[in-house]
Amino acid sequence: MFEIIKDQVQNIKKIVVVTGAGISQESGIPTFRGKDGLWRNHDAMKLATIDAFYDNPELVWTWYNERRANIFAAKPNPGHKAIAELEKYAQVSVLTQNIDGLHQKAGSTEVLELHGSIIKIKCSVCDYKEEITSEFSEIPPICKCGNILRPDVVWFGESLPQDVWQKAMILANQCDLMIIVGTSLVVSPANTLPIYAKQSHTTLIEINPEITEMSSEMDLVVRDTGANSLPELVSLFKQN
């Protein structure tokens, strides 16, 4: 399956893994765009924009609380675990669009959460931020400054945290191998990360059961899930 890099393995020192909702789907977390996606029964524009939040913060918070309960019950699958295991053989950086924390649960040590984290909150006005440790007694929760708290995630129309994005671009430019797993590559600016890597003549591997926007640009396309295929990639490193 990964024969294209068999002769390169010993020279691969820096790996960047770009992940999307597809890798977590096998852990029981629905994707947004698949046939059973999260948006199927909801209007995304009523749930994931700052305007929607101010229009109906109780609805948005209720939905995120339900998502959080689902995520907390989920466990890393063999795809997450394989990515963590790759750290035995190279420097591995995970650039994820997911907000579920499963890469960290699997043992990955360098995870850049491009779209934030569902277990973190921040004030909609002041600089207050923290992790959620328990359920809120009131919805929506209120900050000490008197304004509404919100999930610390990136909503449609919002910019990515600039410090995280700058580091992600640097890592994409400097890696020897980029593996893109379970992302449709339609969400900007995360979908530009393979372009940065390609400009540096990095080997690009896409793992996705479906064709994506950039499949034709890849050096290798694996039409399978991360849970099925990534353990085989780890085996290739073990052999060298």
Side-chain angles (χ1 to χ4, degrees):
M1 190 185 299
F2 296 102
E3 292 299 310
I4 189 174
I5 64 164
K6 188 174 182 180
D7 296 331
Q8 303 176 37
V9 166
Q10 289 182 325
N11 298 320
I12 293 174
K13 306 300 181 187
K14 295 182 179 181
I15 301 173
V16 163
V17 186
V18 179
T19 66
I23 195 170
S24 293
Q25 188 175 19
E26 290 168 287
S27 292
I29 299 174
T31 66
F32 286 109
R33 292 178 175 78
K35 63 181 180 179
D36 298 317
L38 279 173
W39 299 131
R40 189 166 56 102
N41 299 316
H42 298 282
D43 181 350
M45 302 315 289
K46 288 182 180 177
L47 298 171
T49 68
I50 190 65
D51 290 339
F53 178 69
Y54 283 128
D55 286 344
N56 195 339
E58 186 174 354
L59 170 66
V60 173
W61 261 110
T62 299
W63 187 64
Y64 271 90
N65 283 344
E66 290 176 1
R67 288 185 65 193
R68 193 178 303 108
N70 174 243
I71 284 170
F72 281 172
K75 295 180 180 179
N77 61 56
H80 295 106
K81 293 175 182 177
I83 292 169
E85 193 174 352
L86 281 174
E87 292 188 19
K88 296 178 181 177
Y89 312 102
Q91 177 184 323
V92 180
S93 304
V94 180
L95 315 181
T96 187
Q97 296 168 273
N98 300 334
I99 61 173
D100 53 45
L102 287 179
H103 285 296
Q104 293 93 322
K105 282 185 181 179
S108 289
T109 56
E110 184 172 38
V111 182
L112 273 64
E113 295 175 311
L114 302 176
H115 293 167
S117 170
I118 200 166
I119 66 169
K120 296 176 182 176
I121 54 172
K122 66 179 180 180
C123 182
S124 54
V125 177
C126 77
D127 293 331
Y128 176 77
K129 289 187 179 186
E130 73 169 349
E131 287 196 2
I132 297 172
T133 55
S134 61
E135 291 298 318
F136 298 106
S137 57
E138 59 178 332
I139 298 292
I142 305 299
C143 181
K144 293 176 182 177
C145 74
N147 291 288
I148 301 173
L149 292 169
R150 55 164 283 183
D152 192 3
V153 297
V154 177
W155 283 328
F156 293 123
E158 294 185 320
S159 299
L160 271 59
Q162 282 306 296
D163 56 337
V164 174
W165 179 242
Q166 292 292 330
K167 187 173 182 181
M169 287 192 294
I170 291 170
L171 290 168
N173 271 310
Q174 294 179 346
C175 63
D176 306 309
L177 172 65
M178 177 176 280
I179 308 165
I180 302 103
V181 190
T183 171
S184 55
L185 293 174
V186 298
V187 176
S188 178
N191 61 352
T192 63
L193 290 168
I195 297 172
Y196 289 114
K198 195 171 183 67
Q199 288 172 346
S200 300
H201 307 291
T202 297
T203 300
L204 301 180
I205 297 177
E206 176 180 82
I207 300 174
N208 200 310
E210 301 174 1
I211 297 172
T212 73
E213 298 284 322
M214 290 190 65
S215 291
S216 61
E217 301 296 320
M218 300 294 159
D219 295 296
L220 173 65
V221 175
V222 177
R223 285 282 167 256
D224 203 345
T225 65
N228 286 338
S229 57
L230 282 168
E232 185 173 328
L233 178 61
V234 173
S235 295
L236 192 63
F237 277 84
K238 283 181 179 177
Q239 295 166 14
N240 284 268

